[in-house]
Structures are given as C-alpha cells and as structure tokens.
Amino acid sequence: MQSLKLWKNLYDKLGNDYLRSTALTAADVLGIKKDIIRLDTNCRCNIRCIMCNSKPYKSQTPYMEFRDYKKIIDLYSPTTRMLYLSCAFEPLITPDFPEYLKYAKTKGIPHVSFCTNGLLLNESLVKTLIEYGIDEMILSFNGFCKKDYHRIMPGSDFDKVCRNLKLLSDAKLKYHSEKPKIRMNTMLLKSNLSHMNDMYKMIQHFDIDLVQFRTLMLHEDLNNPDEVQNELPENQSFMEYKKMLNSIKSTANRLRRNGKKIILPDSVLNRQTPAFSMEAAAEFHPGQKAENIKKHCSVPFFSYWIDCEGNVKVCGYDEKGLIGNALTDSPVLMNQKKYHFRKQALRGKCANQNCTINVDKSRIL
Ligand code: SF4
C-alpha cells in the first residue's frame, strides 16, 4: 500500500503530462515495472446495484479460459506493477478464480488486487489470499443497514457478505497475515453518509484497512436512475451537507487512531460535482461550468484495460484506445497502435474531450 502511495505521489508531483510521459517512457527503457492492468476474467455480475451501468455483453466466451489468461499474464507481467483482476464485472463468478490470482503472484507482479461484492467469497479463496500473499481485496459495499444494503445492492445478501468478511478477518488473525489489505469502495450516497457510526463499527469489526468514498458517475444507463437521484448528496441543503462532512471527518479521526483511513474526493470537501461529463454536470448543477477537463493525457503510457475476450485498450474511456486482441493479434501491430494512440492522447487529441480521469483528486483524511 505504501509503495502505491509513493508511485501515486510521484505521478501527481510531476504535475505535467509531458513530463509524466517522458518519465514513463524512461521507466520502460530501464525495465522498471510501471504498468497498471485492469483485467476482467468474465463479463457478468451476480447482483444489480442501483448506480451501476456495467451491462453483461454478448461474448463468444463468458469467461476467459485459464490458458488464455496465462498467455496474457505471461505477455504483460514483465512490465506490470499493479494488476486489478476485475474492472467492470464480478470476478468470483469465474470458475477456479483462486488459480488466476495465484498465477499472477507466481509471475512476480508486485501488487495483485481484485474487486468484489464479497457474496461468493469462501474458505478456499480465503486460503489462497493468505497463502499467496494477495495484496488487496477491494470490497464494493453500500448501505450500512440491511434495508439500505438490499435496496442499493439488489441480489446480494447482507448477512452472507458479513459472514464471508468474518471468515477473512478471522483467517488473517489466525495466520498473523496483514494481507490482503481490505479496501472498501463506498459510493457517496445519502444513506451511506447518514450511517457513519454503523460504517465505523463495521470497519472495526471486520478489520477493514481503508474506506474509499467514490463520487457517482452519472451515466444515462444506470440500473436505477430514480433511486440514484434520491441518493445524491448534492440534493441536500448546505447545512445538511456541512453536517455530513463533519460526520465523515470525525469518523476519520476515530479511525485514524486505529491505523485505518478514509479517502474522500477533493470535490466533496470543496462541494463541487466532479465533471465526469458536461451533460451530467449541467444537469445536476445548472449553470456550473464543467471544470478540470483534461487537455493532455499520459494515462495510455501506463494503463491497459483487458476484457474477457482478450481485447486490449490503453484507454478505458475512448474506443480508439483499442489496440487489438492479445490472444490473436501480432504484438508488433498492437504496439504500433499503442504508440499512435499515446501520441494522440498526449496532444489532447483523444476523442473524449470531457474526460476528467486523474483530474479529480482525493485526500486521505
Ligand atoms: S479519454 Fe483521453 S484524456 Fe481520458 S484517459 Fe483516455 S486518453 Fe486520457
């Protein structure tokens, strides 16, 4: 976790995308692992959160076969620093998923992480996580009372997820293992924020290391836009908003004494809407300008998004970032496309003019 912070601070400190791209290219030449891969081993989810817009897509293969996964990991592991096994879908649906985690670790990737709703976490997976020193488990969790949880994350089971988390925290305690660190991904929803005390108890009880509050991405095709609209903290009065912020800060103070942290986007501390899209910002804050739009971008110099069919993108937000298929296309051709897209992005010529990736900063409280 510490080394991740170091890399992130270094990246932020460079402050200019031309400098960043030069440093990242130099790292490539020097053989320093610096890439971040987000890889989906399937294209399904087992629940339907109200704020999610990931839709299962038609794929020739619902899962990435293990032999294909190995091929991809073999290809990318020499330059990969961080591997996130799952990007938009639920990884624990993939048969034999523990084998996928193990393989990444045995190939020497320094940081191996996966993001799950925790519903299918079981003893065999917990054993793998501890035995192979998997670095991080990111838990998507919203609703700190049963009623809210089932409304926000339909299809999941509050009691079962809590039992599974207990399984993991007990095993970590039994084997004196610090890993996997548990990061809880929680959306900035009114009902989450009004249950800070329940959140605090949960963090303590399951020994969660970090809570990362995330702002809602206001896409058109959310699973339940009406529920989301009711949950937007921006709809609160200024006084209510202030009260909510104070409650987050005091919870963060209590947690800090136990070595635990909360991460909150700057935009929330300053009460702005992160402008993921101009339309969304205009809709929710009429008259407010979408600020902080990215002009030059070095994200494709270190990022890969890979879907369960092996398609590789160097930008998750612009279709032109697709550089080919790692299982069928020639690496030489893919590299040519990658370098071309990198140049375009660095000049601010990618197709997504409203992209704010890496602009919305967060703060550890
Ligand atoms: S859409 Fe453009 S600015 Fe955004 S991450 Fe991709 S390349 Fe960078």
Side-chain angles (χ1 to χ4, degrees):
M1 199 78 82
Q2 202 53 37
S3 113
L4 290 190
K5 207 173 146 200
L6 199 77
W7 280 88
K8 163 107 178 49
N9 285 348
L10 206 68
Y11 183 82
D12 287 344
K13 275 223 166 73
L14 286 174
N16 163 320
D17 283 296
Y18 283 98
L19 276 180
R20 287 172 179 160
S21 63
T22 309
L24 289 162
T25 308
D28 261 341
V29 174
L30 296 170
I32 298 170
K33 288 176 184 260
K34 52 103 177 105
D35 292 335
I36 300 180
I37 295 196
R38 295 171 179 89
L39 187 154
D40 272 315
T41 55
N42 69 59
C43 57
R44 300 277 183 273
C45 189
N46 48 356
I47 65 172
R48 271 180 68 78
C49 297
I50 56 167
M51 62 287 173
C52 181
N53 75 328
S54 292
K55 302 279 181 282
Y57 56 86
K58 277 196 184 133
S59 162
Q60 292 187 334
T61 150
Y63 310 111
M64 181 183 277
E65 296 283 345
F66 188 58
R67 61 161 196 276
D68 291 337
Y69 169 80
K70 276 169 84 174
K71 207 169 153 187
I72 291 175
I73 294 297
D74 289 348
L75 190 67
Y76 286 97
S77 57
T79 60
T80 301
R81 175 156 292 272
M82 295 169 215
L83 173 68
Y84 292 93
L85 278 180
S86 73
C87 179
F89 299 102
E90 171 55 45
L92 304 194
I93 290 178
T94 301
D96 295 327
F97 184 69
E99 295 303 315
Y100 290 64
L101 289 166
K102 275 186 206 174
Y103 192 69
K105 256 306 168 199
T106 53
K107 291 301 286 185
I109 297 178
H111 184 86
V112 177
S113 170
F114 66 105
C115 179
T116 176
N117 53 44
L119 194 58
L120 298 177
L121 187 68
N122 57 26
E123 270 180 43
S124 134
L125 178 59
V126 164
K127 192 166 168 267
T128 300
L129 299 180
I130 293 181
E131 210 171 300
Y132 284 79
I134 302 305
D135 299 274
E136 183 186 49
M137 181 182 96
I138 304 172
L139 175 75
S140 299
F141 198 97
N142 292 281
F144 293 95
C145 70
K146 249 193 223 186
K147 200 170 153 233
D148 284 344
Y149 181 88
H150 288 128
R151 181 174 49 79
I152 299 168
M153 302 182 73
S156 192
D157 181 333
F158 183 88
D159 290 332
K160 190 162 192 303
V161 171
C162 288
R163 278 199 302 276
N164 293 347
L165 288 174
K166 189 80 177 89
L167 206 64
L168 178 57
S169 59
D170 284 353
K172 280 173 70 178
L173 207 62
K174 183 173 171 191
Y175 295 106
H176 309 287
S177 176
E178 286 201 349
K179 289 183 183 176
K181 295 279 187 196
I182 307 176
R183 175 175 10 149
M184 190 157 76
N185 255 358
T186 295
M187 305 304 290
L188 281 155
L189 304 176
K190 263 196 224 171
S191 33
N192 285 342
L193 297 165
S194 60
H195 282 90
M196 291 302 286
N197 208 32
D198 294 318
M199 186 188 90
Y200 175 84
K201 284 186 198 154
M202 189 175 167
I203 293 168
Q204 294 290 88
H205 188 62
F206 297 119
D207 197 17
I208 288 162
D209 298 276
L210 182 77
V211 179
Q212 181 150 25
F213 276 113
R214 295 199 174 270
T215 32
L216 281 162
M217 298 291 188
L218 301 167
H219 298 272
E220 282 165 6
D221 50 355
L222 301 175
N223 281 338
N224 192 335
D226 293 340
E227 278 284 356
V228 169
Q229 186 66 253
N230 290 335
E231 284 282 359
L232 285 174
E234 285 88 342
N235 291 344
Q236 291 175 316
S237 72
F238 187 67
M239 286 312 286
E240 284 172 325
Y241 200 86
K242 271 274 192 227
K243 209 168 136 199
M244 174 195 87
L245 260 190
N246 287 340
S247 143
I248 297 176
K249 286 178 185 169
S250 71
T251 308
N253 284 340
R254 287 164 75 198
L255 287 172
R256 206 176 317 118
R257 284 181 225 127
N258 300 313
K260 301 176 187 308
K261 295 178 181 115
I262 288 183
I263 298 187
L264 196 63
D266 275 359
S267 57
V268 175
L269 286 162
N270 305 329
R271 206 185 186 206
Q272 292 169 11
T273 299
F276 184 75
S277 79
M278 298 277 261
E279 294 75 21
E283 191 180 329
F284 289 92
H285 285 265
Q288 178 182 320
K289 273 190 194 164
E291 288 166 358
N292 293 337
I293 302 295
K294 244 176 131 42
K295 293 197 177 56
H296 308 286
C297 178
S298 52
V299 169
F301 284 75
F302 64 93
S303 303
Y304 296 91
W305 282 259
I306 305 179
D307 72 14
C308 71
E309 293 183 322
N311 298 309
V312 183
K313 287 178 174 183
V314 287
C315 165
Y317 311 91
D318 180 351
E319 285 309 312
K320 288 190 184 140
L322 178 68
I323 58 168
N325 186 294
L327 300 170
T328 54
D329 291 341
S330 123
V332 177
L333 209 67
M334 286 175 72
N335 275 340
Q336 281 172 3
K337 286 194 181 172
K338 175 173 78 181
Y339 295 132
H340 175 74
F341 187 81
R342 281 180 176 178
K343 266 192 207 161
Q344 297 292 102
L346 195 57
R347 291 181 191 146
K349 290 190 174 158
C350 69
N352 190 350
Q353 293 300 308
N354 296 333
C355 179
T356 59
I357 299 307
N358 279 0
V359 172
D360 182 35
K361 298 238 173 71
S362 293
R363 215 177 299 168
I364 297 177
L365 297 181

